[in-house]
Amino acid sequence: FKFLHIAFLVPAAKALGFALALAESFLGILLVTGLWRRLVAILSAAFLGFFTVVTALLAIFNPPMDCGCFGQAIHLSNLQTFVKNIVLDALWCYAFLPFRAFASPGKIKYAPSGIAAISISLFAVHSILGIPMMDFSAFNAGAEVQQEDALLTLCDSEGRYLDTLDFRGRIILSSVYDPLKMDREDFEKLNRVLNAAKAAGYATMQLYAAAPEQLPGKDCYAVDRRTLMTLNRSNGGLVYVSDRQIIRKWSFNNLPDASELEELYGKNPTEEMLSRTVKDRMRMQGFLLYVFAVMLLL
């Protein structure tokens, strides 16, 4: 939006991005199942045409940004993004030209298309309200909080940068990248969990996207907003760090209780991280296989 000089739409970026991702997913379902092929041909041409123009502008002016086509999973240069769209345009021509009447696959395909659309919608809501099953960010489970390509730089209430802060031991980090969107009850909820973490034996640190003089108290640090959003996409979420290594994350909507924190403290951190990572990857792969099986086999 900023590149296209329509920055007034920035407050709606998250909602529009979510809607666009769902729209593209639904269009993909129709492409796979073969429903409404004439309408799908027109809609997919509109999508591809619009994004080909946008990516052409990105390739020409080459601003220092990522198009975000594949989120954090795959990063493409502006030129690579444009070439990708040209390839998709060619595939569209092969699939839909000459543009004539298309045969219908039959009403039986309405059921799997509907099931797939509902499943993807529920999955999207689950992901946006919680923590993604697969985290492709630099601060994913298993990564270190002080690595060369992703440095968690903190600043204390006196404005001193703590680049060399040692994240030894077991630490629960709270991550608030938009304090204005959290009310008093939200902060009280977060503080109760942090107090429970202290009682269970963890050290705690509160990270805010705020000026140093705005920090609420002890063990509070100012961190760059974008860095905090990468660390935990949930505003008010928690990150469990053990000896610099990220073990687990929670969204604000699914914060752990005291018993869960105590149980987790008794487990080997690395084994817990590996076990949860494997389970999440299996869930993600299982979901994808389920959706494609519904579309292709029914």
Side-chain angles (χ1 to χ4, degrees), residues 17 47 50 83 104 146 152 181 210 235 282 292:
F47 267 91
F50 173 76
V83 172
S104 174
Q146 297 290 42
L152 187 61
K181 288 189 176 180
N235 190 34
M282 291 180 65
F292 280 104

Side-chain angles (χ1 to χ4, degrees), residues 263-277:
E263 181 182 355
L264 188 61
Y265 193 86
K267 296 180 179 179
N268 180 282
T270 303
E271 290 180 0
E272 170 65 17
M273 180 271 297
L274 292 173
S275 174
R276 179 160 291 274
T277 300

Side-chain angles (χ1 to χ4, degrees), residues 29-152:
I29 291 171
L30 295 176
L31 281 167
V32 172
T33 58
L35 284 176
W36 306 328
R37 294 196 66 197
R38 178 177 287 274
L39 175 62
V40 170
I42 295 172
L43 291 177
S44 57
F47 267 91
L48 287 172
F50 173 76
F51 284 112
T52 299
V53 172
V54 172
T55 54
L57 293 174
L58 293 174
I60 293 170
F61 294 101
N62 197 30
M65 57 177 283
D66 188 309
C67 73
C69 298
F70 301 100
Q72 294 173 317
I74 301 174
H75 296 279
L76 300 177
S77 68
N78 293 322
L79 179 59
Q80 289 172 331
T81 303
F82 175 65
V83 172
K84 179 260 296 179
N85 274 65
I86 294 298
V87 171
L88 291 177
D89 290 338
L91 292 173
W92 182 92
C93 293
Y94 177 79
F96 295 113
L97 294 181
F99 197 71
R100 55 183 181 272
F102 297 109
S104 174
K107 293 183 178 180
I108 192 173
K109 280 297 182 180
Y110 283 94
S113 297
I115 294 172
I118 292 172
S119 299
I120 287 177
S121 300
L122 293 175
F123 180 82
V125 172
H126 172 270
S127 296
I128 203 168
L129 293 179
I131 299 297
M133 289 184 185
M134 293 182 66
D135 186 353
F136 294 100
S137 72
F139 293 114
N140 54 28
E144 292 192 357
V145 294
Q146 297 290 42
Q147 50 190 310
E148 292 183 2
D149 58 341
L151 185 65
L152 187 61

